[in-house]
Amino acid sequence: QVQLVESGGGVVQPGRSLRLSCVASEFTFSSYGMHWVRQAPGKGLEWVAVIWYDETNKHYADSVKGRFTISRDDSKNTLYLQMDSLRAEDTAVYHCAREKLRGSSISCLYHWGQGTLVTVSS
Amino acid sequence: DIQMTQSPSTLSASVRDRVTITCRASQRISRWLAWYQQKPGKAPKVLIYDASSLESGVPSRFSGSGSETEFTLTINSLQPDDFATYYCQQYNSYPWTFGQGTKVETK
């Protein structure tokens, strides 16, 4: 059964950095595009970033562009999100998610992790 | 960026009601739209992908329709387990975007 387990969340001061991890299991990690999606407390879902299965493309939401960096280590079946210059409005539960189809096929998000909470506060 | 507008934001309904949620895209997105269900404290779950394809294991009372800019999620005969928040999401182009959500609550 596919599993995605996020970690690395916590309380951090504005302007500081944090790195989130997402460990994947029970599927060929290197074959799938991976995403981060966040949800502020009591709010809706916000797509954050994607990294293609072959790392040839990365894309970001305008709200995080230039501050967040998505990366992956296929040898460790792990997805990362480096978050710099954090702001109060980045406070949210961050989910990693796997695309439904492998490779470069257009597809929605199918498997989701339970998320890790990031709180940006002084 | 493509804006996704869902309506209504909240919907009050009873068991066995037929429920319809609408999602409008600010640009044409072909059929690259998914519907997700989310319950409090849980990760979203995909119900419909490619606008009208029912995800495996999802009850047949859920259906999706539409293309380009107008999409609909219909729940026929609402069941107690269906009270939740529903989101549409476009994956036609980056940045991917979600609708603001529709909460289906008990009337």
Side-chain angles (χ1 to χ4, degrees), chain A residues 35 37 39 43-47 50 52 57 59-62 95 99-101 106-110 112-114, chain B residues 1 32 34 36 38 41-46 48-50 55-56 87 89 91-92 94-100:
Chain A
H35 299 247
V37 176
Q39 187 167 32
K43 302 296 184 182
L45 299 169
E46 180 186 15
W47 180 84
V50 60
W52 282 25
N57 280 279
H59 296 274
Y60 299 90
D62 292 344
H95 298 274
E99 293 182 0
K100 179 178 173 65
L101 302 178
I106 299 175
S107 74
C108 66
L109 300 174
Y110 186 61
W112 295 66
Q114 286 304 307
Chain B
D1 298 1
W32 306 122
Y36 300 89
Q38 188 181 33
K42 299 293 187 181
K45 168 190 171 184
V46 62
I48 302 289
Y49 63 96
D50 296 353
E55 183 54 59
S56 175
Y87 295 92
Q89 179 240 324
Y91 46 102
N92 177 77
Y94 298 114
W96 287 9
T97 43
F98 289 88
Q100 78 276 20

Side-chain angles (χ1 to χ4, degrees), chain B residues 96-107:
Chain B
W96 287 9
T97 43
F98 289 88
Q100 78 276 20
T102 296
K103 183 177 182 179
V104 177
E105 60 181 25
T106 308
K107 182 183 289 184

Side-chain angles (χ1 to χ4, degrees), chain A residues 47 106-108, chain B residues 1-4 23 25-29 31-36 68 71 87-99:
Chain A
W47 180 84
I106 299 175
S107 74
C108 66
Chain B
D1 298 1
I2 299 174
Q3 309 303 317
M4 306 300 293
C23 182
S26 62
Q27 301 174 35
R28 295 160 67 103
I29 60 169
R31 59 189 174 91
W32 306 122
L33 181 112
W35 289 97
Y36 300 89
E68 303 298 359
F71 301 87
Y87 295 92
C88 62
Q89 179 240 324
Q90 67 83 16
Y91 46 102
N92 177 77
S93 62
Y94 298 114
W96 287 9
T97 43
F98 289 88

Side-chain angles (χ1 to χ4, degrees), chain B:
Chain B
D1 298 1
I2 299 174
Q3 309 303 317
M4 306 300 293
T5 304
Q6 272 181 251
S7 60
S9 296
T10 306
L11 192 158
S12 298
S14 302
V15 172
R16 291 184 295 279
D17 280 355
R18 184 172 188 260
V19 166
T20 299
I21 300 169
T22 298
C23 182
R24 288 188 172 87
S26 62
Q27 301 174 35
R28 295 160 67 103
I29 60 169
S30 185
R31 59 189 174 91
W32 306 122
L33 181 112
W35 289 97
Y36 300 89
Q37 177 194 67
Q38 188 181 33
K39 296 182 178 179
K42 299 293 187 181
K45 168 190 171 184
V46 62
L47 303 173
I48 302 289
Y49 63 96
D50 296 353
S52 59
S53 296
L54 186 68
E55 183 54 59
S56 175
V58 174
S60 59
R61 61 181 179 272
F62 291 92
S63 64
S65 65
S67 65
E68 303 298 359
T69 61
E70 296 275 341
F71 301 87
T72 299
L73 173 70
T74 299
I75 311 173
N76 281 303
S77 189
L78 193 72
Q79 297 300 301
D81 190 49
D82 301 337
F83 291 98
T85 301
Y86 295 84
Y87 295 92
C88 62
Q89 179 240 324
Q90 67 83 16
Y91 46 102
N92 177 77
S93 62
Y94 298 114
W96 287 9
T97 43
F98 289 88
Q100 78 276 20
T102 296
K103 183 177 182 179
V104 177
E105 60 181 25
T106 308
K107 182 183 289 184

